[in-house]
Amino acid sequence: MNRKWIVMIFVILALDIVVSFFVKKSFINIETQTISENIKDQCVFLNGGSFKGWNNENFSLEKIIRDSEVIVKGTALSDRIYVKGSILTAFNVIKTYKGDIKNSKIYIFEPSYFNLGKYNNYFAYYGYNLMKPGHKYILFLKKWKYTNFVRYNPYYRGKEIYIFTHNSAIDKFEINKSNIAKVINFEDDIIRYGQVKDYEVFVYNKNELTEYYQLKEKVLNWISQN
């Protein structure tokens, strides 16, 4: 074989190993597979911003559909892995509205996490709250591009993994008409996760709450017609 091709193959393999290492360091720092409900409930709640993002983006049903690679309806499962900076949650797919999935059971990185130990807090990105096991949702997703790099890790091997399209609350809607919601007011007192764990979305004002549920109504109407 030509020496130049041997060198190129060696460089590609070396880059694959290096990238795999850094991806592992950033995504695969497994903290624990279980956290008791009591510990989670006592964690200090930290909201990482509005679902509209830092640029106060306007979302429409058309935009969310267009931005998503995969749209599915199904049930959240109790199978969870608590990783560094995120939570990997199993999801049973009932129906696919966009894209192709290989398995009825997929896994999604939820954009929030529990930081246990010194701080004991729960951090939620862009108004997002965790899915509740046994509850039905419609999810707007993108494929996780690092799957190939972690294919030998036992926690990820064989799993079909996705992330939320915008990594915010705007990518997840619970399929129900009865919603638990309240504007978060951090001026009142320290908020524990147990006080807000049943909220569908975290918002800072009533206008955001109204906008979220107006969009949710359109989402539910859309799935009922498809």
Side-chain angles (χ1 to χ4, degrees):
M1 183 182 291
N2 189 299
R3 181 179 178 85
K4 182 176 69 174
W5 286 108
I6 294 176
V7 172
M8 288 182 65
I9 292 172
F10 176 80
V11 170
I12 291 171
L13 291 174
L15 286 173
D16 193 13
I17 293 171
V18 171
V19 172
S20 299
F21 172 79
F22 283 109
V23 170
K24 180 178 179 180
K25 290 290 288 183
S26 58
F27 287 97
I28 313 179
N29 184 356
I30 305 297
E31 294 176 352
T32 179
Q33 287 186 270
T34 58
I35 301 176
S36 73
E37 289 300 313
N38 183 58
I39 290 176
K40 289 190 288 188
D41 286 352
Q42 293 304 312
C43 285
V44 176
F45 171 74
L46 303 174
N47 191 348
S50 164
F51 68 82
K52 296 172 70 65
W54 62 270
N55 59 347
N56 199 35
E57 187 172 4
N58 290 319
F59 288 99
S60 65
L61 174 59
E62 293 74 21
K63 174 176 172 54
I64 299 173
I65 293 174
R66 183 176 64 250
D67 291 349
S68 301
E69 296 176 353
V70 171
I71 303 173
V72 295
K73 178 175 70 175
T75 306
L77 304 176
S78 58
D79 179 5
R80 273 193 168 124
I81 300 175
Y82 296 87
V83 301
K84 184 177 181 179
S86 185
I87 297 172
L88 186 65
T89 300
F91 189 82
N92 182 52
V93 176
I94 298 172
K95 184 174 182 178
T96 302
Y97 298 92
K98 182 180 179 181
D100 297 316
I101 62 169
K102 299 177 182 178
N103 306 296
S104 60
K105 184 179 181 181
I106 62 175
Y107 291 80
I108 300 126
F109 279 114
E110 296 196 75
S112 61
Y113 64 92
F114 290 95
N115 185 17
L116 303 181
K118 180 179 179 180
Y119 300 104
N120 278 354
N121 55 41
Y122 170 77
F123 188 88
Y125 292 98
Y126 299 123
Y128 185 90
N129 195 11
L130 291 173
M131 291 187 286
K132 305 171 187 64
H135 290 227
K136 289 184 171 61
Y137 299 88
I138 178 166
L139 308 180
F140 297 85
L141 307 169
K142 286 186 176 180
K143 295 178 181 178
W144 190 48
K145 62 182 179 180
Y146 298 108
T147 300
N148 187 53
F149 295 121
V150 298
R151 59 189 181 276
Y152 300 117
N153 185 283
Y155 288 102
Y156 297 92
R157 186 171 54 236
K159 291 181 172 64
E160 189 175 354
I161 303 175
Y162 296 85
I163 61 172
F164 284 105
T165 299
H166 305 97
N167 270 329
S168 80
I170 210 69
D171 299 319
K172 169 182 68 71
F173 296 92
E174 187 168 356
I175 303 175
N176 63 39
K177 294 290 185 178
S178 177
N179 310 303
I180 300 176
K182 182 182 178 183
V183 175
I184 302 295
N185 185 358
F186 287 101
E187 295 180 358
D188 290 342
D189 200 355
I190 293 176
I191 300 174
R192 304 288 177 180
Y193 182 64
Q195 299 172 251
V196 297
K197 65 179 181 180
D198 291 326
Y199 290 9
E200 185 172 2
V201 62
F202 301 133
V203 295
Y204 290 117
N205 59 65
K206 291 182 179 180
N207 289 336
E208 282 189 17
L209 192 61
T210 299
E211 184 176 344
Y212 180 85
Y213 283 123
Q214 285 176 344
L215 183 56
K216 176 180 177 177
E217 189 67 26
K218 293 179 182 179
V219 170
L220 295 184
N221 288 337
W222 179 72
I223 65 174
S224 68
Q225 297 169 12
N226 290 275

